[in-house]
Amino acid sequence: MSTIIPAKGVFINNRWQPSSSGKTIAMIAPATGKVFGEIARGTAADIDAAVAAARHAFEKGAWGKLTATERGRLLTNFGRVIEKHAEELALLEATDTGKPMKQARADVTAVSRYFEYYGGAADKVHGDTIPFLNGYLVNTLYEPVGVTAHIIPWNYPGQMFGRSVAAALAMGNATVVKPAEEACQVPMRLAELCAEAGFPEGAVNVVPGLGEEAGAALSSHRGVDFISFTGSPEVGTLIQIAAAKNHIGCTLELGGKSPQIVFGDADLAAAVQSVAGAIVQNAGQTCSAGSRVLVERRIWDRFLTDLSQRFSQIRAGTPAMDLDLGPVISAGQKGRIGAMLARAETAGARILARGQIAAGAPGTGYYVTPTIYHEVDPASELAREEVFGPILAAMPFDSEEEAIRLANGTDFGLVAGVWSGDCSRAIRVARKVRAGQLFVNGYGAGGGIELPFGGMKKSGHGREKGFEALYEFGAMKTLIIKHD
Ligand code: ADP
């Protein structure tokens, strides 16, 4: 993109309006390190206006009056609108995040699927009839909570908007989105397209801005009824404190250090492909990235030889080069990864294999060479903390018990994969690993619109995706009717 994308303002009541700050934030393309646009720096006053618009839409506006079927139809149709704009959205996403075009296209397809899925679900959420005392009829009802806040990260701006906002809208909530300041072009464009597609005023509001400013104002706003947050554990703590102060609920999805456990009797060729793919996807900047591989010692040499061979073919480049991965999001993130790897090497971790940065990738971009480390001490930072880059830590194990202990040996618990030809063992191990999603003989970093997703332990709580997310964005009422 040659011209600079100008700041549009804040999107409230289906219109772009100037931010009360009058200030902007420069947007940098990670693939080149160059400024490609600006966004408005939303303020607490902008958040006030957005929450008021959402409240009005929910309580008095056209949005709150729609039936579940009408809402569903709007959402489903919006899925088609996204498909029509797929190439434009993919290009924006790729410029904003640096990811390869094929991945940006797949992301846009997923956004469309979220709207299609939740469109179909909107009129299928219903309660129960509960047997009670004679002379009573008792029903449970699911109702929207009201105004939902969506604080989303930069790794999958489009997908995060889809997964969180589509589910909240399907339940009938009015939404306020604070996308990440590092990458937010697609959420802003999607809000515009929502208006064009016929969503009534105030249903979808987007306030770009800084986390500690617009984000903090949104999470602590007394007019918000529920917060959906995806991001770092540190900010997740702040969000939970803010939610607690207003006595509202929140879902927190806070990342992971997800293991893939490979037993000697597994289909090793399939495991090699999957283990490599699960850490380089999105340059490792996926909450559910498979960032640890635990390998049974009797196949350690063979497996790591094959994995190294696969890794050596992996290449990072610009979105247009469309290779295996792009850069990481920012200079800051690249520096943080570099510092962490320097500490790991000092602590004894050794490089086993590396991919490459393609020759044509600009030196000013934020490329990180995909790397596998071995001899990683299970107690070390590299084995326990999220790198959020294309860095894999390989560790051997001797027994099923040791594999489970290592898998559970971090504070996180988001996703895990178990590879084994022994079905009973795979299930037994999967059930003992503490994680919100468990794959057997496969791994889907980030995949599965239909599949409930969320963490245990420091990975957070609550579930997004699938039908389960609808209940998070709904309030259950119990209606007790006495009759003769
Ligand atoms: P990361 O470290 O991956 O950038 P963050 O947790 O910092 O993740 O950011 C995730 C989202 O949370 C972004 O939209 C960011 O602007 C927002 N955010 C950051 N700090 C705060 C805060 N203090 N209060 C509310 N939101 C915040």
Side-chain angles (χ1 to χ4, degrees):
M1 256 176 225
S2 48
T3 50
I4 298 279
I5 300 175
K8 292 177 167 170
V10 297
F11 194 79
I12 298 173
N13 272 332
N14 284 357
R15 288 181 297 282
W16 288 110
Q17 312 179 11
S19 161
S20 71
S21 72
K23 293 184 184 151
T24 56
I25 302 169
M27 301 304 293
I28 295 172
T32 59
K34 306 264 189 282
V35 173
F36 74 93
E38 290 185 326
I39 57 165
R41 183 170 151 181
T43 62
D46 298 326
I47 291 290
D48 272 346
V51 172
R55 174 65 55 199
H56 186 269
F58 177 69
E59 286 179 1
K60 302 200 175 79
W63 172 245
K65 295 189 178 68
L66 295 184
T67 64
T69 306
E70 289 166 334
R71 284 199 308 271
R73 222 172 262 148
L74 259 179
L75 283 153
T76 306
N77 289 341
F78 189 57
R80 301 287 84 79
V81 172
I82 293 170
E83 280 172 6
K84 287 202 189 92
H85 290 267
E87 201 54 20
E88 173 207 343
L89 290 165
L91 191 57
L92 263 186
E93 191 80 322
T95 305
D96 215 3
T97 60
K99 61 184 74 182
M101 273 305 288
K102 59 184 170 233
Q103 198 202 316
R105 289 192 184 105
D107 285 5
V108 173
T109 302
V111 185
S112 155
R113 275 285 295 134
Y114 276 116
F115 279 91
E116 181 182 51
Y117 178 85
Y118 285 115
D123 60 2
K124 294 167 193 69
V125 181
H126 51 73
D128 291 320
T129 305
I130 301 175
F132 191 51
L133 303 173
N134 286 338
Y136 282 87
L137 175 65
V138 180
N139 291 125
T140 55
L141 316 169
Y142 280 103
E143 297 195 351
V145 287
V147 174
T148 53
H150 306 261
I151 300 179
I152 60 179
W154 46 259
N155 54 351
Y156 293 89
Q159 282 212 52
M160 291 295 161
F161 180 98
R163 111 175 173 196
S164 181
V165 174
L169 292 173
M171 280 305 289
N173 301 287
T175 61
V176 179
V177 182
K178 208 304 280 173
E181 52 271 49
E182 294 87 349
C184 58
Q185 294 296 329
V186 168
M188 296 197 305
R189 182 68 181 126
L190 288 170
E192 234 170 41
L193 290 173
C194 279
E196 282 173 40
F199 279 88
E201 283 189 355
V204 178
N205 306 280
V206 176
V207 179
L210 299 175
E212 59 274 23
E213 197 169 12
L218 181 58
S219 57
S220 60
H221 202 289
R222 294 180 67 92
V224 165
D225 298 298
F226 187 85
I227 308 171
S228 159
F229 173 80
T230 302
S232 61
E234 297 70 27
V235 177
T237 305
L238 300 177
I239 300 291
Q240 185 143 3
I241 290 169
K245 283 186 177 160
N246 287 332
H247 302 284
I248 60 171
C250 61
T251 49
L252 301 179
E253 203 263 84
L254 308 177
K257 190 74 187 178
S258 299
Q260 296 216 55
I261 306 169
V262 185
F263 285 96
D265 57 3
D267 175 344
L268 298 188
V272 162
Q273 290 301 325
S274 173
V275 167
I279 187 60
V280 297
Q281 180 187 319
N282 214 39
Q285 303 167 116
T286 305
C287 299
S288 53
S291 51
R292 293 185 292 155
V293 61
L294 313 179
V295 183
E296 192 169 1
R297 199 179 300 272
R298 69 187 172 94
I299 55 153
W300 172 257
D301 286 342
R302 184 175 146 208
F303 186 81
L304 289 195
T305 302
D306 292 354
L307 185 63
S308 300
Q309 163 72 17
R310 171 76 194 96
F311 235 70
S312 64
Q313 298 159 353
I314 287 170
R315 287 187 305 150
T318 64
M321 289 174 175
D322 219 4
L323 304 174
D324 302 296
L325 70 158
V328 297
I329 192 71
S330 63
Q333 190 66 8
K334 184 176 170 176
R336 200 188 68 82
I337 294 169
M340 200 164 167
L341 297 184
R343 287 195 295 275
E345 287 170 28
T346 307
R350 297 212 359 246
I351 293 175
L352 181 76
R354 309 192 81 172
Q356 303 152 43
I357 298 172
T364 47
Y366 310 130
Y367 299 91
V368 172
T369 308
T371 308
I372 310 176
Y373 281 87
H374 68 142
E375 296 184 24
V376 178
D377 176 356
S380 70
E381 183 186 40
L382 186 61
R384 296 171 53 86
E385 297 300 329
E386 197 172 35
V387 180
F388 231 54
I391 309 297
L392 180 64
M395 283 164 270
F397 66 84
D398 288 302
S399 66
E400 203 173 298
E401 293 66 35
E402 189 184 9
I404 294 164
R405 189 161 43 72
L406 284 172
N408 287 333
T410 77
D411 291 338
F412 292 101
L414 193 57
V415 179
V418 185
W419 293 83
S420 172
D422 176 344
C423 193
S424 295
R425 170 155 71 185
I427 296 169
R428 195 164 60 233
V429 172
R431 296 194 68 166
K432 286 193 180 144
V433 174
R434 296 206 0 109
Q437 256 188 7
L438 294 132
F439 286 85
V440 171
N441 294 331
Y443 195 87
I449 277 122
E450 310 83 349
L451 313 179
F453 176 75
M456 299 175 87
K457 307 193 291 184
K458 193 173 158 186
S459 291
H461 54 71
R463 293 293 176 263
E464 301 221 38
K465 303 190 179 189
F467 228 77
E468 210 57 35
L470 296 166
Y471 302 116
E472 301 276 0
F473 290 115
M476 186 200 259
K477 283 183 178 170
T478 309
L479 186 64
I480 305 125
I481 307 161
K482 189 169 187 330
H483 58 84
D484 295 333

